[in-house]
């Protein structure tokens, strides 16, 4: 049973499944360690206020929460200007990546939520292409009718790797 547990653990099957294996066999509950991760925050006031973190890293994978256009005081940047918002959002994404000692070349996947794609798609893509350069992560762009803040035009979440 211990070998089954170790194989499941090595494949990254979650803590819950490992606990099930332990309950079914010889592995003692105290032998199972909950996965530990490293979080990253920008240090803006609303992170604690709303119980959010900017990113969570576990087993070499970094899950980055939706980034948007704010400065490090938590103030919104670029109201009404998709290019300014896109640049600030990518700057915030870079800040999260730097917090893990990596760069945009470590991004595996991006999900982009964009308001009013009819008007914002082309100017956003112009900024996006300048940001990614020759790196080509998997990307999904989703047109949305609303985001967290009324002045927000774009939000970007990402998955990156640390190796």
């Amino acid at each position: 049973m211990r070998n089954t547990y170790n194989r499941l653990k090595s494949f990254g099957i979650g803590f819950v499944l490992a606990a099930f294996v332990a309950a079914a066999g010889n592995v003692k509950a105290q032998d199972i360690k909950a996965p530990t991760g490293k979080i990253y925050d920008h240090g803006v006031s609303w992170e604690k206020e709303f119980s959010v973190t900017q990113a969570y890293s576990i087993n070499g994978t970094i899950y980055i929460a939706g980034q948007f256009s704010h400065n490090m005081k938590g103030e919104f940047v670029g109201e009404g200007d998709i290019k300014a918002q896109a640049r600030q959002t990518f700057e915030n994404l870079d800040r999260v990546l730097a917090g893990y000692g990596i760069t945009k070349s470590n991004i595996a996947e991006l999900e982009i939520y964009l308001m009013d794609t009819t008007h914002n798609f082309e100017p956003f893509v112009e900024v996006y292409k300048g940001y990614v350069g020759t790196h080509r992560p998997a990307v999904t762009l989703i047109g949305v009718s609303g985001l967290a803040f009324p002045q927000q035009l774009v939000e970007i979440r990402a998955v990156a790797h640390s190796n």
Side-chain angles (χ1 to χ4, degrees):
M1 193 56 92
R2 183 173 295 281
N3 287 340
T4 301
Y5 166 71
N6 288 334
R7 278 187 302 195
L8 289 172
K9 186 176 173 187
S10 72
F11 283 114
I13 308 297
F15 177 69
V16 173
L17 186 55
F20 174 77
V21 171
N26 299 333
V27 179
K28 296 176 183 159
Q30 64 266 23
D31 291 340
I32 299 175
K33 303 284 188 258
T36 57
K38 177 185 171 195
I39 65 169
Y40 172 86
D41 287 333
H42 289 310
V44 294
S45 63
W46 45 262
E47 290 167 332
K48 286 190 179 187
E49 181 181 343
F50 294 111
S51 295
V52 298
T53 189
Q54 300 302 321
Y56 186 88
S57 173
I58 190 159
N59 298 327
T61 302
I62 303 161
Y63 301 92
I64 302 169
Q67 298 299 297
F68 66 96
S69 184
H70 66 84
N71 61 24
M72 290 306 99
K73 294 178 185 176
E75 302 163 334
F76 197 82
V77 174
E79 186 167 350
D81 184 343
I82 185 59
K83 287 184 175 183
Q85 286 192 31
R87 284 189 295 271
Q88 181 66 49
T89 300
F90 284 124
E91 192 175 304
N92 291 345
L93 177 58
D94 281 344
R95 190 173 287 107
V96 174
L97 295 169
Y100 289 98
I102 60 174
T103 68
K104 63 186 166 197
S105 66
N106 294 78
I107 296 172
E109 177 184 28
L110 292 169
E111 281 185 10
I112 301 163
Y113 303 94
L114 187 65
M115 295 285 292
D116 190 5
T117 55
T118 301
H119 295 101
N120 292 328
F121 181 79
E122 287 185 28
F124 174 80
V125 169
E126 183 182 323
V127 175
Y128 166 79
K129 287 167 69 175
Y131 174 75
V132 294
T134 59
H135 181 56
R136 293 185 50 184
V139 178
T140 301
L141 189 142
I142 304 162
V144 296
S145 61
L147 290 164
F149 301 100
Q151 68 271 40
Q152 189 178 351
L153 300 174
V154 64
E155 185 164 328
I156 302 172
R157 71 169 297 281
V159 177
H161 60 89
S162 61
N163 49 13

